[in-house]
Amino acid sequence: MSEERPHIHRPKVETFDIAARTNVDPKGFVRPVEHYREEPWGLYMARHADHPQFHYLESWIIPELGIRASIFHFTPEHVRDWDFYVDIGEFTRGEHVWTSEDHYLDLAVQTGHSIELLDVDELLEANAAGILDPKTSERAMLNAARAIDGIAAHGHHLDAWLGALGMSVTWR
């Protein structure tokens, strides 16, 4: 039996237009945003979703940490056993528009219990294919390791870790 290789794709890029109150997802769909809030250390976004598995999305984008922490409000038939999904990437603050470039690695955080590192295979394949350069790949791994260490050191509580860093996050 052969092991299936991950589908190689370019990093997913997303924009967050505060002035227009929109979020352009990686596929180019423009989504209206219900709420944006800027802090010196990050951007909060909350919006409805027309996804078959979840109806609402909340995210904190924190460039300094290279993370986007999200809560997906799943429909009852698609509930997951994790509370937070953390994307690892590069996040850039503009005057009115923020951008994100996903660097493949993700963390699924089950508050008070565990953290699962996901999509390492995608990062390695993108690096091997030259889609992501070695320096960016290394930064993604270091950002994921820092997040895992920080969240675990705070009892697997994402909010507690961010609070200890002076990043007081609030959710809807």
Side-chain angles (χ1 to χ4, degrees):
M1 179 160 63
S2 67
E3 218 175 282
E4 191 174 319
R5 295 178 69 138
H7 170 71
I8 305 298
H9 59 83
R10 300 207 62 71
K12 296 175 183 174
V13 175
E14 200 164 343
T15 62
F16 306 86
D17 189 327
I18 297 165
R21 298 182 66 83
T22 59
N23 167 220
V24 181
D25 74 14
K27 294 179 181 173
F29 292 106
V30 179
R31 313 276 186 202
V33 172
E34 183 178 25
H35 188 75
Y36 274 126
R37 182 171 65 248
E38 284 188 279
E39 296 290 343
W41 45 265
L43 176 69
Y44 172 76
M45 177 199 71
R47 67 169 175 81
H48 291 280
D50 58 358
H51 194 277
Q53 296 182 8
F54 61 95
H55 59 89
Y56 204 78
L57 171 64
E58 297 179 78
S59 294
W60 272 104
I61 298 166
I62 306 174
E64 177 185 339
L65 301 176
I67 67 170
R68 174 184 179 178
S70 297
I71 296 176
F72 290 87
H73 296 268
F74 288 101
T75 59
E77 59 275 8
H78 292 100
V79 173
R80 304 292 196 277
D81 66 349
W82 44 263
D83 308 292
F84 296 98
Y85 198 81
V86 179
D87 294 291
I88 305 297
E90 185 173 332
F91 305 91
T92 307
R93 175 193 299 250
E95 187 175 342
H96 299 291
V97 179
W98 291 52
T99 59
S100 72
E101 180 180 278
D102 187 275
H103 290 161
Y104 304 97
L105 298 178
D106 302 302
L107 308 175
V109 180
Q110 189 179 25
T111 301
H113 297 284
S114 65
I115 305 168
E116 183 179 0
L117 175 62
L118 307 169
D119 301 329
V120 174
D121 57 340
E122 288 185 29
L123 173 74
L124 296 175
E125 288 289 331
N127 182 265
I131 293 172
L132 210 61
D133 65 83
K135 191 178 243 180
T136 302
S137 299
E138 178 183 21
R139 189 170 57 249
M141 289 184 282
L142 292 172
N143 286 341
R146 177 178 50 201
I148 291 167
D149 287 348
I151 295 166
H154 288 84
H156 293 97
H157 288 267
L158 172 75
D159 292 350
W161 172 54
L162 295 175
L165 295 173
M167 301 171 185
S168 178
V169 298
T170 55
W171 304 91
R172 182 174 84 143

